Amino acid sequence: MPAVRIPLGLPRFDADAMAQAAARLTPRDYHILEHLLHHRVLTTHQLERLFFTKPQPTRRRLGILHKLHTITRYRPWTPYGGSAPCHWVLGRAGAELLALRSHTTVKELGYHPDLAMSISVSAKSGHQIGVNDFFVHLCHLARHTPGSHLRAWLSEKQCATSWGGLARPDAFGCWSENGRQIDFFLEHDTGSMTLTKVADKLATYADLAEATQITTPVLFWLPSRKRETNLRAVITTTELPIATAVQTDLDDGPAGPCWLPLHRQLSQLRMRLAELLNAWPHLTLGRSPEQPTTATAVSDSCDHYLDSLFPQDESK
């Protein structure tokens, strides 16, 4: 069995119930709901790194949001024992509240009551967690490193909306560090697709660059050094700016010195993410409009006032 059973969507709340739920949500809570709307699923640990500072306040606050039916959860089955972390998905009440704030409808948000169930049984959920983890590492580093900012994080669905399906990256990001800033498309590779098919995706990025007249680097985040070497051998001719790296959380993770631009020798030094801005001096890289910062450091003390009003939730 791939996951625990998840209840289907709740009936639509009445106005009083919605007002009571809305009164208990903080700005940080709405940021959590928005992230789950756009990025589909985040683990407890990822949410802690994005929005909290300690495990206990994270679990307590997520428990409150779960009681309010604004979020729901599942825990994947692990084949070798142990316990997987809770995976959190936007709940029906959360979608209703986001729709009210946006003056739209739940349907127009793209939310469906069976979303949690479909994600929990999807073979692609692990890939989504991996994509999100890439950006969670950048967010967490930015929270604790002066001069670093994740200025944009667009999901696959948001990318399709922005660029009309010409290319379907796993995500789009904009990272800045110490005055350097770079836009990029992310291809998070799990090893499940043949390298030829992975390389074939580059034709769609070339079409996008031609249509928009914006040249954006494509970054391949790969599961092993062997697969990275083999992919670089498959990609023989392209004018696109491409860099590869092996997935790691060491030395600042994806922001650190792990990136190797295409056509450089593997023996040469790797570059930090922000340094890739200078990796292709013969190209004029485009710059997208700056996005709002995706996550802001928020003190866990924000919970204290709400917990004093609702002490029955403190132990959850």
Side-chain angles (χ1 to χ4, degrees), residues 122-186:
S122 172
K124 297 181 179 180
S125 61
H127 176 266
Q128 184 68 66
I129 289 293
V131 173
N132 293 345
D133 210 48
F134 180 98
F135 287 93
V136 168
H137 271 88
L138 294 180
C139 286
H140 187 259
L141 180 65
R143 287 182 63 181
H144 298 89
T145 308
S148 298
H149 303 278
L150 180 61
R151 300 194 180 279
W153 171 12
L154 302 183
S155 68
E156 179 182 5
K157 183 177 180 181
Q158 289 173 302
C159 289
T161 301
S162 297
W163 292 291
L166 284 173
R168 294 298 296 265
D170 291 324
F172 168 87
C174 178
W175 174 252
S176 69
E177 183 179 70
N178 297 326
R180 299 186 181 97
Q181 181 168 308
I182 184 170
D183 293 356
F184 61 89
F185 291 119
L186 177 69

Side-chain angles (χ1 to χ4, degrees), residues 4-59:
V4 296
R5 186 168 180 266
I6 301 173
L8 297 180
L10 296 169
R12 187 182 183 91
F13 284 163
D14 59 33
D16 289 341
M18 291 298 294
Q20 291 177 18
R24 297 181 62 176
L25 298 190
T26 67
R28 178 176 59 188
D29 294 334
Y30 278 107
H31 280 305
I32 292 172
L33 300 184
E34 289 166 355
H35 272 62
L36 291 177
L37 171 65
H38 295 309
H39 306 298
R40 294 174 60 83
V41 55
L42 291 160
T43 67
T44 302
H45 183 59
Q46 289 174 337
L47 288 168
E48 178 188 335
R49 290 170 69 86
L50 282 171
F51 298 108
F52 300 85
T53 59
K54 297 178 181 179
Q56 186 174 359
T58 305
R59 293 192 297 268

Side-chain angles (χ1 to χ4, degrees), residues 20-315:
Q20 291 177 18
R24 297 181 62 176
L25 298 190
T26 67
R28 178 176 59 188
D29 294 334
Y30 278 107
H31 280 305
I32 292 172
L33 300 184
E34 289 166 355
H35 272 62
L36 291 177
L37 171 65
H38 295 309
H39 306 298
R40 294 174 60 83
V41 55
L42 291 160
T43 67
T44 302
H45 183 59
Q46 289 174 337
L47 288 168
E48 178 188 335
R49 290 170 69 86
L50 282 171
F51 298 108
F52 300 85
T53 59
K54 297 178 181 179
Q56 186 174 359
T58 305
R59 293 192 297 268
R60 182 174 65 242
R61 193 66 199 158
L62 294 179
I64 293 174
L65 295 178
H66 184 255
K67 276 193 168 185
L68 294 172
H69 305 297
T70 57
I71 60 177
T72 188
R73 66 190 175 194
Y74 68 93
R75 179 167 287 174
W77 175 72
T78 55
Y80 303 109
S83 178
C86 282
H87 288 45
W88 297 91
V89 181
L90 184 64
R92 177 60 184 265
E96 293 279 2
L97 290 171
L98 289 179
L100 287 172
R101 282 169 61 92
S102 303
H103 306 289
T104 185
T105 65
V106 169
K107 182 177 181 180
E108 289 172 337
L109 285 180
Y111 177 84
H112 190 275
D114 295 339
L115 179 64
M117 178 66 75
S118 64
I119 292 175
S120 70
V121 300
S122 172
K124 297 181 179 180
S125 61
H127 176 266
Q128 184 68 66
I129 289 293
V131 173
N132 293 345
D133 210 48
F134 180 98
F135 287 93
V136 168
H137 271 88
L138 294 180
C139 286
H140 187 259
L141 180 65
R143 287 182 63 181
H144 298 89
T145 308
S148 298
H149 303 278
L150 180 61
R151 300 194 180 279
W153 171 12
L154 302 183
S155 68
E156 179 182 5
K157 183 177 180 181
Q158 289 173 302
C159 289
T161 301
S162 297
W163 292 291
L166 284 173
R168 294 298 296 265
D170 291 324
F172 168 87
C174 178
W175 174 252
S176 69
E177 183 179 70
N178 297 326
R180 299 186 181 97
Q181 181 168 308
I182 184 170
D183 293 356
F184 61 89
F185 291 119
L186 177 69
E187 286 289 338
H188 175 77
D189 183 75
T190 61
S192 62
M193 186 181 295
T194 66
L195 291 175
T196 301
K197 288 185 177 180
V198 174
D200 286 345
K201 292 182 178 183
L202 293 176
T204 66
Y205 288 107
D207 292 340
L208 178 62
E210 182 177 357
T212 61
Q213 295 299 298
I214 298 175
T215 303
T216 303
V218 181
L219 308 186
F220 288 93
W221 190 234
L222 298 145
S224 69
R225 183 62 56 85
K226 180 180 179 180
R227 186 156 173 94
E228 180 190 34
T229 302
N230 291 338
L231 176 63
R232 294 175 68 87
V234 169
I235 303 174
T236 54
T237 58
T238 181
E239 296 182 357
L240 292 170
I242 296 170
T244 63
V246 178
Q247 296 163 17
T248 179
D249 57 4
L250 302 176
D251 298 323
D252 294 338
C258 59
W259 296 100
L260 190 67
L262 198 65
H263 305 315
R264 291 199 176 194
Q265 299 299 317
L266 285 173
S267 60
Q268 292 182 331
L269 293 178
R270 292 176 180 259
M271 307 174 72
R272 294 185 67 84
L273 177 57
E275 292 173 345
L276 289 175
L277 178 67
N278 303 318
W280 303 281
H282 61 294
L283 295 176
T284 301
L285 300 183
R287 183 67 57 83
S288 68
E290 187 169 309
Q291 303 287 324
T293 302
T294 58
T296 304
V298 181
S299 170
D300 293 324
S301 63
C302 292
D303 291 328
H304 293 172
Y305 174 68
L306 283 173
D307 289 343
S308 68
L309 292 177
F310 307 106
Q312 69 274 18
D313 293 323
E314 287 186 355
S315 61

